[in-house]
Each structure stands twice: as C-alpha cells, then as structure tokens.
Amino acid sequence: CIAASIDVAYSGTVGAAMEAAMQGVPAIAFSTAYGGGFAAAEELLTGLACELMTAPPARGEIWNVNFPGLTPREIKGVLYDRSVAPMQLYADGFLSERGEDGAQRLWLRGTHVDSSDVPEDTDLAALLSGFVSVGKLRSITA
C-alpha cells in the first residue's frame, strides 16, 4: 500500500525503515499504490535505490519513496523533497455485517475525498499528478 500523506503513520514499510533508522542503519521505504504501480517500481526501483544510497539520510531519517498506480510509460518522472501531505486521500469508515453464524464482521471502506486542496510540494500531490514521490521522514527518537 502507498505510504503517503498521513497514512505514513500506519505503514508497515515505513515502520520497518524507521526501526532500522533508530538502530543507526540507513533505510529506504518503497511503496506502491494499492493494486498497481508494480511494473513502474520494478523498472525504476534499482536506479532510485542506488541514487538514494549515495546520499544517505541523516541519523534518524529515512527516505520514503512512493510509486503511483501507473504503468512505467505513464509515469511523468520523479519529484524529490516531497513533504508529507497533512491530509488523507480517503475518508475511512466501516461496513458492519452479521454473518450466518451470528458473528459481526467489519469491513474497512474508504471514500475518495476532494483532492483539490492538496498542497503542491507534497507526496500526495506528486502521486496524484503521475510522479514518483521521494521525501525524507524523521523519527521522533532522532
């Protein structure tokens, strides 16, 4: 899943990279859009990893790289120094169902929110515009 905007707080990929950073190990979190972006990541990941490894982040920081759910041909490029957008792209909610066995099940559902207010220099703006987003995240323990 994508680790952009305030969803970085819930990302296992970012969490693992942050743990590495807290142990003094330089790390990069690579994420793709849900259900897509894998071909673009496959094509661009090695070059980006090599590039970012030559400029390791400061202690307690990680690189956060997100690929939009596009094909390699649709990717417009890479935007660097993207900050975390202070918003979500989806408003989360739950659908409650009662199963035949009487057990209650909750299904997470997201509703797309208006993206016209996304700040221009953010990770989310880059992704919505068809770019790969590269930015740094800092651990609160750094």
Side-chain angles (χ1 to χ4, degrees):
C1 252
I2 207 124
S5 67
I6 64 172
D7 288 334
V8 297
Y10 309 105
S11 168
T13 305
V14 168
M18 281 293 184
E19 182 64 32
M22 289 188 293
Q23 301 302 319
V25 178
I28 305 170
F30 288 101
S31 302
T32 62
Y34 182 75
F38 298 111
E42 183 177 7
E43 186 171 302
L44 299 170
L45 191 132
T46 302
L48 277 170
C50 290
E51 177 185 338
L52 296 176
M53 287 178 7
T54 64
R59 182 166 175 84
E61 290 182 336
I62 65 165
W63 287 111
N64 187 37
V65 179
N66 284 284
F67 295 90
L70 302 173
T71 67
R73 296 182 88 158
E74 294 171 318
I75 298 280
K76 295 179 181 175
V78 179
L79 294 178
Y80 295 86
D81 300 321
R82 301 294 97 183
S83 61
V84 174
M87 60 196 319
Q88 287 181 294
L89 187 56
Y90 293 93
D92 296 329
F94 292 94
L95 172 65
S96 177
E97 266 182 16
R98 189 82 51 200
E100 289 182 21
D101 61 357
Q104 182 176 3
R105 293 175 178 83
L106 296 174
W107 301 91
L108 179 63
R109 300 285 185 213
T111 304
H112 195 61
V113 297
D114 181 16
S115 58
S116 62
D117 295 346
V118 177
E120 192 173 312
D121 63 343
T122 63
D123 52 3
L124 193 52
L127 295 168
L128 291 171
S129 298
F131 290 88
V132 175
S133 168
V134 177
K136 288 182 185 174
L137 299 176
R138 185 167 183 77
S139 168
I140 61 170
T141 63

